[in-house]
Amino acid sequence: MSALNLQKRNQNLSYRSHFLIIFLLSIITIDCSTYWSHRKKDLADVFTAGVESPGYGVGVRIGPLATGFVFQGGESEPGKRDLGTGYGLRGGSYGKYRSQQLIFAFLGGEKFHSMPNEEILPKEEPKQAETKPSDNFLILPETNDPEQDPNPTPELSDERQNAKSYEIRYLRFYNNPVSERRKAKKEAFFRKYLESLDPQKRNEAIQNFLAQNPKNKDDYPSAFLFEVELYISIRYGIRIGFNFAEFLDFLLGFTGFDLLEDDI
Protein backbone atom coordinates (compact mmCIF):
# COMPACT_ATOMS: atom_id res chain seq x y z
CA MET A 1 0.00 0.00 0.00
CA SER A 2 2.81 2.38 0.82
CA ALA A 3 4.39 1.79 -2.60
CA LEU A 4 1.03 2.50 -4.29
CA ASN A 5 0.55 5.70 -2.30
CA LEU A 6 4.08 6.78 -3.16
CA GLN A 7 3.37 6.17 -6.85
CA LYS A 8 0.17 8.26 -6.73
CA ARG A 9 1.98 11.03 -4.93
CA ASN A 10 4.70 11.07 -7.57
CA GLN A 11 2.04 11.23 -10.32
CA ASN A 12 0.36 14.21 -8.62
CA LEU A 13 3.68 15.98 -8.31
CA SER A 14 4.37 15.27 -11.96
CA TYR A 15 1.00 16.75 -13.03
CA ARG A 16 1.59 19.83 -10.91
CA SER A 17 5.07 20.37 -12.26
CA HIS A 18 3.83 20.02 -15.85
CA PHE A 19 1.08 22.55 -15.22
CA LEU A 20 3.55 24.96 -13.62
CA ILE A 21 5.95 24.63 -16.54
CA ILE A 22 3.17 25.31 -19.07
CA PHE A 23 1.96 28.28 -17.05
CA LEU A 24 5.44 29.79 -16.81
CA LEU A 25 6.13 29.23 -20.50
CA SER A 26 2.87 30.95 -21.43
CA ILE A 27 3.88 33.98 -19.38
CA ILE A 28 7.42 34.05 -20.80
CA THR A 29 6.23 33.88 -24.41
CA ILE A 30 3.79 36.78 -23.89
CA ASP A 31 4.88 40.36 -23.43
CA CYS A 32 4.62 40.95 -19.68
CA SER A 33 3.18 44.47 -19.88
CA THR A 34 0.54 43.40 -22.39
CA TYR A 35 -0.22 40.23 -20.44
CA TRP A 36 -0.92 42.00 -17.16
CA SER A 37 -2.80 44.77 -18.94
CA HIS A 38 -5.19 42.17 -20.35
CA ARG A 39 -5.60 40.55 -16.91
CA LYS A 40 -6.44 43.93 -15.39
CA LYS A 41 -9.02 44.61 -18.09
CA ASP A 42 -10.51 41.12 -17.73
CA LEU A 43 -10.96 41.71 -14.01
CA ALA A 44 -12.68 45.04 -14.68
CA ASP A 45 -15.11 43.25 -17.03
CA VAL A 46 -16.40 41.09 -14.17
CA PHE A 47 -18.01 43.84 -12.09
CA THR A 48 -20.50 46.64 -12.66
CA ALA A 49 -20.86 49.48 -10.16
CA GLY A 50 -22.15 52.84 -11.28
CA VAL A 51 -24.28 55.85 -10.39
CA GLU A 52 -26.76 56.83 -13.12
CA SER A 53 -29.24 59.61 -13.89
CA PRO A 54 -32.04 60.25 -14.70
CA GLY A 55 -34.00 57.15 -13.81
CA TYR A 56 -36.88 55.76 -11.79
CA GLY A 57 -37.80 52.27 -10.64
CA VAL A 58 -36.40 48.90 -9.67
CA GLY A 59 -35.27 46.18 -12.04
CA VAL A 60 -33.30 42.95 -12.16
CA ARG A 61 -31.70 41.40 -15.24
CA ILE A 62 -30.30 37.88 -15.56
CA GLY A 63 -28.81 37.65 -19.04
CA PRO A 64 -31.50 38.81 -21.48
CA LEU A 65 -34.30 38.11 -18.97
CA ALA A 66 -35.28 41.35 -17.25
CA THR A 67 -38.11 42.04 -14.85
CA GLY A 68 -39.33 45.01 -12.85
CA PHE A 69 -40.40 48.55 -13.70
CA VAL A 70 -37.64 50.88 -14.84
CA PHE A 71 -37.53 54.08 -16.86
CA GLN A 72 -33.95 55.24 -17.23
CA GLY A 73 -32.80 57.80 -19.80
CA GLY A 74 -35.04 59.96 -21.94
CA GLU A 75 -35.08 62.75 -24.52
CA SER A 76 -33.77 66.30 -24.34
CA GLU A 77 -36.15 67.10 -27.22
CA PRO A 78 -38.79 65.05 -29.11
CA GLY A 79 -37.17 62.20 -31.03
CA LYS A 80 -33.70 62.77 -29.61
CA ARG A 81 -32.97 59.98 -27.13
CA ASP A 82 -29.81 61.43 -25.65
CA LEU A 83 -30.43 61.38 -21.89
CA GLY A 84 -29.25 58.75 -19.46
CA THR A 85 -25.66 58.85 -18.29
CA GLY A 86 -23.69 57.12 -15.59
CA TYR A 87 -20.31 57.19 -13.93
CA GLY A 88 -18.44 54.22 -12.56
CA LEU A 89 -17.20 50.81 -13.62
CA ARG A 90 -19.16 49.23 -16.45
CA GLY A 91 -18.20 47.35 -19.59
CA GLY A 92 -14.61 47.00 -18.40
CA SER A 93 -14.02 50.77 -18.30
CA TYR A 94 -14.11 53.27 -15.48
CA GLY A 95 -15.57 56.67 -16.26
CA LYS A 96 -18.60 58.26 -17.87
CA TYR A 97 -20.95 56.15 -19.99
CA ARG A 98 -24.31 56.26 -21.75
CA SER A 99 -27.04 54.19 -20.10
CA GLN A 100 -30.67 53.92 -21.19
CA GLN A 101 -33.10 51.23 -20.05
CA LEU A 102 -36.81 50.53 -20.11
CA ILE A 103 -38.38 47.59 -18.29
CA PHE A 104 -42.12 47.07 -18.09
CA ALA A 105 -42.72 43.69 -16.43
CA PHE A 106 -40.82 41.48 -18.93
CA LEU A 107 -40.69 43.85 -21.93
CA GLY A 108 -38.32 46.65 -22.82
CA GLY A 109 -34.69 47.05 -23.77
CA GLU A 110 -31.49 48.87 -22.95
CA LYS A 111 -28.49 50.61 -24.42
CA PHE A 112 -24.95 51.05 -23.12
CA HIS A 113 -21.68 52.43 -24.40
CA SER A 114 -18.69 54.22 -22.89
CA MET A 115 -18.28 57.96 -23.39
CA PRO A 116 -14.54 58.63 -23.63
CA ASN A 117 -13.05 61.86 -24.88
CA GLU A 118 -12.61 60.52 -28.40
CA GLU A 119 -15.31 59.25 -30.71
CA ILE A 120 -14.95 58.51 -34.40
CA LEU A 121 -17.60 60.87 -35.68
CA PRO A 122 -18.58 61.36 -39.30
CA LYS A 123 -16.92 64.34 -40.90
CA GLU A 124 -18.50 66.74 -43.36
CA GLU A 125 -17.15 65.96 -46.78
CA PRO A 126 -16.07 68.97 -48.81
CA LYS A 127 -17.71 69.39 -52.19
CA GLN A 128 -15.55 67.94 -54.93
CA ALA A 129 -15.61 68.04 -58.66
CA GLU A 130 -17.30 65.19 -60.48
CA THR A 131 -15.10 62.12 -60.63
CA LYS A 132 -14.33 60.33 -63.82
CA PRO A 133 -15.18 56.65 -64.26
CA SER A 134 -11.49 55.85 -64.27
CA ASP A 135 -10.99 57.29 -60.76
CA ASN A 136 -10.47 54.87 -57.90
CA PHE A 137 -13.55 55.18 -55.71
CA LEU A 138 -16.00 53.02 -53.82
CA ILE A 139 -19.77 53.53 -53.97
CA LEU A 140 -21.41 52.82 -50.62
CA PRO A 141 -25.12 52.17 -50.16
CA GLU A 142 -27.35 55.00 -49.02
CA THR A 143 -28.26 55.02 -45.33
CA ASN A 144 -31.51 57.01 -45.44
CA ASP A 145 -33.46 54.66 -43.20
CA PRO A 146 -36.71 56.25 -41.96
CA GLU A 147 -36.48 54.15 -38.78
CA GLN A 148 -32.82 54.96 -38.17
CA ASP A 149 -31.97 55.74 -34.56
CA PRO A 150 -31.50 59.53 -34.22
CA ASN A 151 -28.95 58.84 -31.50
CA PRO A 152 -27.13 55.66 -32.61
CA THR A 153 -24.41 53.89 -30.69
CA PRO A 154 -21.25 55.75 -31.75
CA GLU A 155 -18.13 54.17 -33.16
CA LEU A 156 -15.51 54.69 -30.46
CA SER A 157 -11.77 55.00 -30.95
CA ASP A 158 -11.16 52.10 -28.52
CA GLU A 159 -11.96 48.76 -30.20
CA ARG A 160 -12.41 47.03 -26.86
CA GLN A 161 -15.02 49.58 -25.77
CA ASN A 162 -16.79 49.05 -29.08
CA ALA A 163 -16.94 45.32 -28.39
CA LYS A 164 -18.48 45.90 -24.94
CA SER A 165 -21.13 48.32 -26.19
CA TYR A 166 -24.61 47.04 -26.94
CA GLU A 167 -28.18 47.95 -27.74
CA ILE A 168 -30.86 45.30 -27.29
CA ARG A 169 -34.61 44.84 -27.17
CA TYR A 170 -35.43 42.01 -24.81
CA LEU A 171 -38.39 40.69 -26.83
CA ARG A 172 -36.33 40.52 -29.99
CA PHE A 173 -33.88 38.20 -28.27
CA TYR A 174 -36.65 35.60 -28.03
CA ASN A 175 -38.38 36.49 -31.30
CA ASN A 176 -35.67 36.90 -33.90
CA PRO A 177 -36.97 35.83 -37.34
CA VAL A 178 -34.70 33.99 -39.75
CA SER A 179 -34.87 36.90 -42.22
CA GLU A 180 -33.59 39.31 -39.56
CA ARG A 181 -30.73 36.99 -38.60
CA ARG A 182 -29.73 36.66 -42.26
CA LYS A 183 -29.86 40.43 -42.68
CA ALA A 184 -27.66 40.92 -39.61
CA LYS A 185 -25.12 38.38 -40.92
CA LYS A 186 -24.98 40.15 -44.30
CA GLU A 187 -24.46 43.51 -42.63
CA ALA A 188 -21.72 42.09 -40.41
CA PHE A 189 -19.99 40.50 -43.44
CA PHE A 190 -20.18 43.76 -45.43
CA ARG A 191 -18.83 45.74 -42.50
CA LYS A 192 -15.91 43.36 -42.06
CA TYR A 193 -15.18 43.62 -45.78
CA LEU A 194 -15.10 47.43 -45.60
CA GLU A 195 -12.80 47.35 -42.59
CA SER A 196 -10.40 45.08 -44.50
CA LEU A 197 -10.29 47.63 -47.34
CA ASP A 198 -9.13 50.39 -45.00
CA PRO A 199 -7.11 48.84 -42.12
CA GLN A 200 -5.31 52.15 -41.45
CA LYS A 201 -8.65 54.05 -41.25
CA ARG A 202 -7.59 56.66 -43.78
CA ASN A 203 -10.43 56.39 -46.30
CA GLU A 204 -12.87 59.11 -45.30
CA ALA A 205 -15.85 57.68 -47.18
CA ILE A 206 -15.48 54.23 -45.62
CA GLN A 207 -14.93 55.58 -42.12
CA ASN A 208 -17.95 57.90 -42.39
CA PHE A 209 -20.11 54.98 -43.48
CA LEU A 210 -18.86 52.78 -40.61
CA ALA A 211 -19.44 55.57 -38.09
CA GLN A 212 -23.02 56.06 -39.30
CA ASN A 213 -23.68 52.31 -39.16
CA PRO A 214 -22.20 51.10 -35.85
CA LYS A 215 -21.73 47.34 -35.66
CA ASN A 216 -23.11 47.13 -32.13
CA LYS A 217 -26.51 48.56 -33.01
CA ASP A 218 -29.26 46.31 -31.64
CA ASP A 219 -26.67 43.70 -30.75
CA TYR A 220 -24.83 42.48 -27.67
CA PRO A 221 -21.55 40.79 -26.72
CA SER A 222 -21.70 37.07 -25.85
CA ALA A 223 -20.89 37.78 -22.18
CA PHE A 224 -24.17 39.73 -21.91
CA LEU A 225 -26.00 36.40 -21.59
CA PHE A 226 -24.18 35.57 -18.34
CA GLU A 227 -24.54 38.87 -16.51
CA VAL A 228 -26.64 39.58 -13.40
CA GLU A 229 -27.57 43.22 -12.70
CA LEU A 230 -29.65 45.11 -10.16
CA TYR A 231 -30.85 48.67 -10.77
CA ILE A 232 -32.54 50.93 -8.17
CA SER A 233 -33.29 54.60 -8.76
CA ILE A 234 -35.32 57.62 -7.75
CA ARG A 235 -33.97 60.22 -10.16
CA TYR A 236 -30.40 59.21 -9.22
CA GLY A 237 -29.82 55.48 -9.04
CA ILE A 238 -27.23 52.78 -8.66
CA ARG A 239 -26.44 49.79 -10.86
CA ILE A 240 -24.46 46.83 -9.59
CA GLY A 241 -23.68 43.60 -11.41
CA PHE A 242 -21.55 40.52 -11.78
CA ASN A 243 -20.69 38.65 -14.97
CA PHE A 244 -19.98 34.92 -14.63
CA ALA A 245 -18.59 34.51 -18.15
CA GLU A 246 -16.18 37.42 -17.66
CA PHE A 247 -15.06 35.91 -14.34
CA LEU A 248 -14.26 32.61 -16.07
CA ASP A 249 -12.49 34.53 -18.83
CA PHE A 250 -10.42 36.30 -16.16
CA LEU A 251 -9.38 33.01 -14.53
CA LEU A 252 -8.54 31.26 -17.82
CA GLY A 253 -6.64 34.33 -18.95
CA PHE A 254 -3.79 33.46 -16.58
CA THR A 255 -3.12 30.38 -18.73
CA GLY A 256 -3.11 32.46 -21.91
CA PHE A 257 -6.56 31.28 -23.05
CA ASP A 258 -8.85 34.10 -24.18
CA LEU A 259 -12.33 32.63 -23.75
CA LEU A 260 -14.29 35.69 -24.90
CA GLU A 261 -11.68 36.84 -27.43
CA ASP A 262 -11.59 40.33 -25.94
CA ASP A 263 -7.84 40.73 -25.37
CA ILE A 264 -7.59 43.55 -27.91
Side-chain angles (χ1 to χ4, degrees):
M1 292 295 293
S2 59
L4 182 59
N5 291 335
L6 181 61
Q7 183 178 3
K8 289 183 177 180
R9 185 178 300 177
N10 291 334
Q11 288 179 349
N12 292 333
L13 290 174
S14 178
Y15 292 148
R16 292 175 184 175
S17 61
H18 288 165
F19 176 81
L20 181 60
I21 292 173
I22 294 174
F23 177 72
L24 293 175
L25 287 176
S26 64
I27 294 179
I28 294 173
T29 56
I30 300 174
D31 181 76
C32 287
S33 61
T34 302
Y35 176 83
W36 290 112
S37 175
H38 288 325
R39 302 295 70 76
K40 181 180 178 180
K41 292 178 180 178
D42 284 343
L43 180 61
D45 291 335
V46 177
F47 304 98
T48 296
V51 178
E52 301 175 359
S53 174
Y56 302 89
V58 177
V60 177
R61 179 173 63 79
I62 302 176
L65 178 62
T67 183
F69 294 91
V70 171
F71 179 80
Q72 198 253 326
E75 302 176 343
S76 60
E77 59 185 65
K80 188 176 182 180
R81 300 188 295 273
D82 59 342
L83 297 181
T85 57
Y87 191 90
L89 177 62
R90 191 174 178 188
S93 300
Y94 186 84
K96 190 175 181 181
Y97 57 83
R98 172 76 64 206
S99 179
Q100 298 172 332
Q101 187 174 27
L102 174 65
I103 304 178
F104 185 78
F106 297 98
L107 302 177
E110 64 179 280
K111 175 179 181 177
F112 159 76
H113 65 79
S114 297
M115 296 178 65
N117 295 328
E118 286 188 47
E119 294 182 3
I120 302 177
L121 301 176
K123 302 177 182 178
E124 294 184 3
E125 296 185 16
K127 294 183 179 180
Q128 299 178 351
E130 295 183 359
T131 56
K132 299 179 181 180
S134 58
D135 291 343
N136 183 19
F137 66 94
L138 177 66
I139 299 178
L140 300 176
E142 296 291 336
T143 60
N144 296 326
D145 184 358
E147 299 182 356
Q148 189 172 8
D149 189 349
N151 186 37
T153 302
E155 187 76 3
L156 306 175
S157 59
D158 189 315
E159 288 298 325
R160 200 173 194 277
Q161 290 180 335
N162 278 328
K164 301 298 180 180
S165 302
Y166 62 84
E167 183 173 354
I168 183 174
R169 287 171 283 176
Y170 303 134
L171 184 61
R172 183 170 180 176
F173 177 83
Y174 300 103
N175 181 25
N176 191 4
V178 176
S179 59
E180 292 294 328
R181 293 199 299 268
R182 289 176 178 173
K183 180 181 177 181
K185 288 183 179 180
K186 289 180 181 179
E187 291 176 352
F189 176 81
F190 181 65
R191 182 183 180 85
K192 190 173 183 180
Y193 170 70
L194 288 180
E195 290 175 341
S196 68
L197 294 179
D198 187 29
Q200 302 300 324
K201 298 182 179 181
R202 296 178 179 176
N203 187 302
E204 188 173 352
I206 291 179
Q207 294 307 313
N208 285 343
F209 179 83
L210 295 177
Q212 294 169 6
N213 296 268
K215 59 185 176 182
N216 292 299
K217 183 179 180 181
D218 204 20
D219 198 4
Y220 55 89
S222 57
F224 177 85
L225 304 178
F226 304 92
E227 187 172 42
V228 178
E229 277 191 355
L230 170 65
Y231 175 78
I232 303 175
S233 177
I234 302 179
R235 177 62 183 180
Y236 293 93
I238 60 172
R239 184 184 301 273
I240 57 175
F242 184 88
N243 195 303
F244 292 92
E246 295 286 9
F247 181 64
L248 182 59
D249 180 58
F250 166 69
L251 295 179
L252 295 177
F254 286 101
T255 67
F257 181 66
D258 185 13
L259 178 66
L260 299 177
E261 299 181 347
D262 59 356
D263 290 347
I264 53 179

